[in-house]
Amino acid sequence: MTHLAHPVSRPLVMGILNVTPDSFFDGGRYIDHEAAIARGREMILEGADIVDVGGESSRPGAQPVSEDEELRRVIPVIAALASAVPVSIDTTKPAVARAAVAAGATLVNDVSASLEEVAAEVGVGFVAMHRLGTPADMQNDPRYDDVVKEVTEYLAARAARALEAGVTDVWVDPGIGFGKTARHNLELLAGLGEIVALGYPVLVGTSRKTFLGHLAAGNLDAAGTLAPGSRAAPLSERFEGSLASATFAMTKGAAAVRVHDVAATAQAARLVGAVSQ
Ligand code: HH2
C-alpha cells in the first residue's frame, strides 16, 4: 500500500470506526466526535494499520444520510486522526470523499465501486467492493450461478476501470454480506484465492456479520447451507467467528482485513505474517 509510512510484510488490519447512530455493531457508540477520536486513538494502540471512518451505515435496510450530515460526522474525526495513522473514508459520495482527502484521508473505500474518478483526481488509493443491489434490497433473495466467478469478474472490471481513470493504488473487496447468503459468503472465503490471483491487494470484511451469527448458533450444515427460518446469534457472540474468518482470509492471501476487534486481529495478522516469511 503506497500510502503507508512503514510498509509491513504481513496482512494489514483496518479498524472500523463508524460515526453513525445506526451501524449494525458500533452504531451510536462513536456518534460523538470526542468518543470517535478516542476510539481511533485506542485502535492505533491496539495495532490498527489503517482506520476506516464511515458516516453512513450500509447495513441492510439502513436509511440514507444527507451529504451535509455525513460531512459533519466524519471530517473532524479524520482531521484529528490522519496525522497519527493512515485513514480511509468509507463513503459512496464524491463530495465526502473529496473533503475526507482534504482532511487527510489517503484511501477511498467505496462500497458502490463508483468513485474511481474522484480517487484519481485527488491522488489517493481506491477500494472497489462488490455488492449486489443496494442496502434497501440486497438481502432480498440474492442469486448467482457461480458467486466466486461473478464477483471475481466484476472486481477485475472495476479495478481495470480504476486503473484507466488513473488510480495507482487499486484494492478489491468481495463485499461479504452485501447481497450474499451465508453460503455465498462461505464460498467467497473458500474461493478467495481466485480474487487474490487478480493481482490487486484484497480487502476482506467479515467482522460480526450475520453469517457469523448463524455459524455461532449452529445453523449452518456441513456444506454451509442455512436451515430455513433459523435465527442468527447476537452480535456479542460473533467475535470468535470474526477472528477465525479474518485469519482464514489472511491465510488465503488477503492483504488487509476490516475489523471491529483490532487487538485480537492484529495478533492474528502478526502470526500470519510470521509463518508466511
Ligand atoms: N462492510 C461494511 C461497510 N463497509 N467496506 C468494505 N470495503 N468492505 C466491507 O466488507 C464493508 C465495508 C459493513 O460493516 P460496518 O461498517 O461494520 O457496518 P455499517 O455498514 O452498518 O456501518
Side-chain angles (χ1 to χ4, degrees), residues 7-230:
V8 282
S9 61
R10 55 163 175 75
L12 302 177
V13 176
M14 174 186 274
I16 301 170
L17 186 54
N18 286 314
V19 192
T20 63
D22 59 344
S23 287
F24 80 95
F25 181 64
D26 59 353
R29 287 192 216 176
Y30 310 119
I31 188 71
D32 170 68
H33 288 153
E34 289 309 311
I37 294 163
R39 176 60 189 141
R41 293 198 174 123
E42 185 178 53
M43 285 197 283
I44 298 169
L45 296 176
E46 290 177 355
D49 300 295
I50 310 165
V51 172
D52 188 42
V53 178
E56 179 176 50
S57 172
S58 51
R59 74 175 211 283
Q63 291 300 313
V65 171
S66 73
E67 189 177 290
D68 283 351
E69 176 60 12
E70 199 175 327
L71 287 166
R72 193 198 63 72
R73 290 179 184 176
V74 298
I75 298 305
V77 177
I78 294 170
L81 295 175
S83 58
V85 68
V87 170
S88 56
I89 172 67
D90 186 348
T91 191
T92 59
K93 295 189 182 72
V96 175
R98 279 196 193 92
V101 172
T106 53
L107 184 66
V108 173
N109 174 26
D110 172 18
V111 301
S112 71
S114 57
L115 295 183
E116 70 281 345
E117 304 233 326
V118 177
E121 175 195 311
V122 294
V124 298
F126 175 66
V127 182
M129 197 198 78
H130 175 275
R131 70 174 180 184
L132 190 67
T134 63
D137 63 12
M138 65 188 182
Q139 288 310 108
N140 185 8
D141 193 21
R143 284 173 194 242
Y144 303 83
D145 289 328
D146 179 339
V147 68
V148 175
K149 184 166 176 283
E150 287 168 48
V151 168
T152 304
E153 285 173 1
Y154 173 89
L155 293 176
R158 290 297 163 141
R161 210 171 78 164
L163 286 178
E164 274 163 37
V167 181
T168 53
D169 187 20
V170 179
W171 288 66
V172 294
D173 183 326
I176 296 294
F178 285 82
K180 282 119 188 161
T181 63
R183 193 185 170 115
H184 292 142
N185 293 325
L186 294 169
E187 286 179 16
L188 282 166
L189 286 174
L192 202 62
E194 291 188 37
I195 299 174
V196 171
L198 291 173
Y200 302 98
V202 176
L203 173 66
V204 176
T206 58
S207 194
R208 307 267 176 168
K209 288 183 177 172
T210 303
F211 80 112
L212 298 173
H214 289 300
L215 179 85
N219 298 335
L220 301 170
D221 70 13
T225 306
L226 192 60
S230 46

